[in-house]
Amino acid sequence: MPNVGGWRFVVLGVVIAVMLVLPLVVKSSFAVDILIRVLLFSFIGSAWNLMGGYAKQLSLGHAAFFGLGAYTSTLLQIDFGISPWIGMVAGGFVALLASLPIGWLCFRLRGPYFTIATIATAQVLMLIFLKFRDFAWGAEGTTIPNLGHAPLMMQFETKAPYYYIVLGLLTIALLITARIERSRIGYYCVAIGEDEDAAEAIGVDAPSVKRQIYMISAFLTALAGTFYTQYIYFIDPQTAFNFNISIEAALVSIVGGVGTLWGPVIGTVLLETTSALLQSWLGNSIGGVQLTVYAVILMAVILWRPTGIMGYLAEVYARRRSKSLSLPAKA
Amino acid sequence: MADALVIKNLNKRFGGLHAVQDVSFTVRENETLALIGPNGAGKTTAFNLITGFYRPDTGSVSAFGREIVGLRPHDVCAFGLARTFQVAKPFGGMTVLANVMTGAFLRDRRPDAAREKAREAIDFVGLSARENAAARDLTSIDQRRLEMARALATQPRLLLLDEVMAGLNPAEIDQAVALVGKLSSRGLTIVIVEHLMRAIMAVAKHIIVLDHGQKIAEGSPKDVVENPEVIRAYLGSGYVHAPAGGTS
Ligand SMILES: Nc1ncnc2c1ncn2[C@@H]1O[C@H](COP(=O)(O)OP(=O)(O)OP(=O)(O)O)[C@@H](O)[C@H]1O
Ligand SMILES: [Mg+2]
């Protein structure tokens, strides 16, 4: 086993080194933009995966937290001049608090009803922000005042700094996930996802565990909202509470492998590169191609590899290992 | 000896069906009590009432001197009552070790300590060789063992076993009987639901017989098997040859 562990650190070291130098090497801003999208959705997917993957509470309403994060930091910045760095954390806490009543409502339902309820909460939030014009610019939204190069206000003139910010966010999410995976709450989440009654029977306070993991998941998702708004210098309810965010958060995790550390990252790499390639290939002429391709990939995964790419890799690895273990017995 | 579990006038209706009717009994500390009766008698329902999965319509359940009606299942478990399910409910995607660790986390949140406790419980039920297997890959018998190990890992004072021996072959039944005996000798109080009279006679000195939700007999194995009403409702005259209890 030390061998495997050793290799893992080598691979991880190489990945980290490559990720750090990538923006220095890649000069095309189109390419960096794709990298940023990949990291962003890996991050959102990882946040979603904590609840949707480990605890198997299939939320399709994470746009609610993305939007709350985006609006909190933007309101603080425009109305009070508070830095989005602070706003980002504030947004995280707003989302964390919002997850309590949302969870209180949705967790009464199970299975598809839970999922539908989460969709509804994100839609309701979008409607609220569309209707209340005085509060947050209504349907038109607003642009973020461009201050040029202002690191303290999370504004930069090149793309590379954004890349490093979202890389940092993803790293945090992965560290949190790795930590949760090994601790009691991680075991409890998986147990609840497998069989809630059996978990309760061995002392797992299922409602409380779900509440906790939902809070963490919501907090992280909100950070992505702030980042994205700062990155595109614009916010409106349609962007901030977009259903596609909820879908993609779930999709990348399901394709990559729910309830695994790297699943959302691998899923995002696959889906985003496919969609970027398609776009450069077909241009934007054919609308809806991306969604169609996503749907096809999703169906393929669900039909052939319900455990996602990570699940498939784990199977292959286990098979090879058991083969090599059984060899001496045959000799 | 003190009373571990005192059940008084327990009632549960499902619509028009009176699944548990005015049932009362007492389990003393460190005794093994068997709850028997034909299919649909209300045995599993009684377990669900005791462990907080169902709320009784009326009646009281007191464990180690404390009223536990109204507690949620995880609180009941934390209070020291662990149960198994008649249809095993393993966490299929987790390994055997992870399953049992999840139980052990109740008493110690440090993974290393939980792992150690889990290994003890796994060893106790004789599942060590399968420690790293996914629970869903176990045979149904091993899943039953896993279920016991997971319950034991919560370090209960009272263990409720719902038909853990169903489907076992005679040799496996002997193992299971020995296991229950070993648990009892460690000071655990046990309530066991089982259809197999041979196994029941081997583990329990105190038997309660339920039929149609009502307690129809209580006493030592000898009293119970000679009780005409028990023979009529459950055992039949040739019970020794019909271990699964053919009447329903
Ligand atoms: N959740 C429920 N809703 C409706 N009816 C139920 C429910 N649970 C149990 N019952 C009914 O209550 C009665 C008692 O069931 P229970 O499962 O307690 O029997 P049992 O003694 O455990 O039988 P078996 O030996 O078959 O396990 C049965 O008629 C059953 O159909
Ligand atoms: Mg039953």
Side-chain angles (χ1 to χ4, degrees):
Chain A
M1 286 315 263
N3 219 343
V4 176
W7 271 111
R8 190 174 288 169
F9 280 114
V10 172
V11 171
L12 204 60
V14 171
V15 169
I16 290 171
V18 169
M19 293 313 287
L20 286 176
V21 298
L22 214 47
L24 306 178
V25 186
V26 180
K27 289 294 171 213
S28 141
S29 97
F30 174 70
V32 177
D33 185 62
I34 291 177
L35 288 173
I36 290 173
R37 278 190 65 86
V38 167
L39 291 172
L40 179 65
F41 276 101
S42 297
F43 173 63
I44 299 171
S46 297
W48 181 91
N49 187 36
L50 287 174
M51 198 185 74
Y54 287 93
K56 293 213 184 97
Q57 306 296 311
L58 190 72
S59 154
L60 285 180
H62 265 48
F65 307 119
F66 185 92
L68 285 173
Y71 268 100
T72 304
S73 61
T74 308
L75 282 166
L76 287 177
Q77 182 182 4
I78 293 182
D79 293 357
F80 303 100
I82 294 172
S83 161
W85 288 108
I86 297 168
M88 180 153 79
V89 177
F93 281 106
V94 168
L96 182 151
L97 289 178
S99 79
L100 292 173
I102 293 177
W104 183 79
L105 278 170
C106 298
F107 284 134
R108 302 160 171 256
L109 307 166
R110 288 197 188 183
Y113 301 101
F114 169 80
T115 305
I116 291 168
T118 59
I119 297 174
T121 55
Q123 293 299 113
V124 166
L125 277 170
M126 185 199 284
L127 286 177
I128 291 173
F129 279 86
L130 280 170
K131 291 292 167 221
F132 295 97
R133 305 176 50 88
D134 318 333
F135 175 56
W137 316 286
E140 291 107 83
T142 184
T143 52
I144 312 293
N146 190 334
L147 308 172
H149 182 70
L152 287 180
M153 295 302 274
M154 210 191 280
Q155 291 192 11
F156 308 91
E157 285 172 322
T158 59
K159 298 217 159 175
Y162 292 102
Y163 171 93
Y164 287 115
I165 293 173
V166 69
L167 180 63
L169 288 176
L170 175 59
T171 308
I172 292 171
L174 289 174
L175 288 174
I176 290 176
T177 306
R179 165 116 197 134
I180 286 176
E181 231 180 24
R182 290 199 190 98
S183 57
R184 179 168 80 162
I185 186 170
Y187 282 77
Y188 278 8
C189 282
V190 178
I192 290 168
E194 293 274 352
D195 192 317
E196 200 167 324
D197 281 344
E200 278 274 342
I202 54 168
V204 179
D205 185 346
S208 153
V209 171
K210 287 198 255 184
R211 198 158 52 231
Q212 289 173 42
I213 204 70
Y214 201 26
M215 289 197 299
I216 300 172
S217 183
F219 181 92
L220 291 173
T221 308
L223 306 185
T226 298
F227 170 81
Y228 188 67
T229 306
Q230 292 304 118
Y231 181 57
I232 66 169
Y233 288 88
F234 177 72
I235 189 170
D236 73 357
Q238 298 282 1
T239 319
F241 294 100
N242 199 311
F243 186 45
N244 284 340
I245 294 165
S246 302
I247 298 271
E248 194 147 344
L251 202 58
V252 298
S253 307
I254 294 169
V255 168
V258 289
T260 63
L261 178 60
W262 293 100
V265 179
I266 291 178
T268 311
V269 170
L270 181 78
L271 290 179
E272 283 292 328
T273 43
T274 320
S275 107
L277 285 178
L278 275 175
Q279 234 170 54
S280 69
W281 199 16
L282 301 170
N284 280 327
S285 52
I286 312 172
V289 167
Q290 180 184 337
L291 274 181
T292 314
V293 171
Y294 277 16
V296 169
I297 294 180
L298 183 66
M299 280 193 284
V301 166
I302 289 175
L303 283 176
W304 287 304
R305 291 286 159 206
T307 51
I309 296 169
M310 285 302 288
Y312 175 64
L313 293 178
E315 257 172 57
V316 171
Y317 175 72
R319 254 207 309 273
R320 288 185 49 179
R321 220 167 73 101
S322 70
K323 247 186 216 159
S324 67
L325 282 179
S326 65
L327 271 181
K330 279 182 197 157
Chain B
M1 266 188 294
D3 294 335
L5 189 66
V6 181
I7 288 167
K8 283 208 188 106
N9 305 103
L10 211 55
N11 277 285
K12 181 71 185 175
R13 285 174 188 276
F14 296 113
L17 179 80
H18 208 158
V20 172
Q21 296 185 43
D22 238 15
V23 169
S24 305
F25 61 89
T26 296
V27 188
R28 301 173 67 74
E29 261 182 59
N30 200 12
E31 94 172 332
T32 297
L33 175 139
L35 197 57
I36 66 171
N39 294 115
K43 307 178 295 290
T44 298
T45 304
F47 271 23
N48 283 327
L49 293 170
I50 294 166
T51 52
F53 280 89
Y54 297 156
R55 206 191 160 93
D57 299 334
T58 58
S60 91
V61 178
S62 113
F64 305 104
R66 184 180 158 194
E67 179 62 44
I68 58 169
V69 165
L71 293 187
R72 291 177 299 168
H74 64 262
D75 290 323
V76 173
C77 180
F79 190 60
L81 276 68
R83 69 168 298 178
T84 65
F85 291 93
Q86 183 169 351
V87 178
K89 292 175 180 286
F91 306 132
M94 289 172 135
T95 63
V96 167
L97 181 61
N99 264 271
V100 183
M101 274 177 75
T102 310
F105 273 123
L106 177 64
R107 305 292 174 204
D108 198 330
R109 63 184 313 150
R110 292 167 305 161
D112 288 335
R115 191 171 297 112
E116 198 173 309
K117 281 272 176 282
R119 289 219 165 96
E120 272 172 39
I122 291 170
D123 186 48
F124 192 83
V125 301
L127 212 49
S128 293
R130 305 288 284 150
E131 190 182 283
N132 292 313
R136 72 163 75 86
D137 294 338
L138 298 181
T139 61
S140 73
I141 289 154
D142 281 349
Q143 286 189 355
R144 228 70 77 49
R145 286 206 175 96
L146 170 60
E147 184 110 338
M148 269 177 89
R150 203 171 56 186
L152 285 176
T154 66
Q155 297 176 37
R157 298 170 71 185
L158 174 70
L159 185 61
L160 300 117
L161 301 171
D162 197 351
E163 298 201 23
V164 285
M165 299 188 201
L168 304 196
N169 67 34
E172 288 162 345
I173 288 168
D174 289 342
Q175 285 175 18
V177 165
L179 202 63
V180 173
K182 207 158 67 155
L183 286 171
S184 174
S185 67
R186 280 179 154 199
L188 208 62
T189 308
I190 297 169
V191 179
I192 186 166
V193 167
E194 211 59 64
H195 278 299
L196 205 64
M197 280 315 284
R198 181 168 73 82
I200 290 163
M201 308 288 245
V203 297
K205 299 213 172 40
H206 182 182
I207 297 179
I208 308 274
V209 188
L210 291 184
D211 182 34
H212 293 298
Q214 283 170 314
K215 183 170 94 174
I216 58 167
E218 169 166 11
S220 70
K222 188 170 174 307
D223 295 344
V224 165
V225 296
E226 285 169 0
N227 182 312
E229 192 164 3
V230 176
I231 293 172
R232 182 196 56 74
Y234 180 46
L235 300 174
S237 46
Y239 78 89
V240 185
H241 306 292
T247 54
S248 54

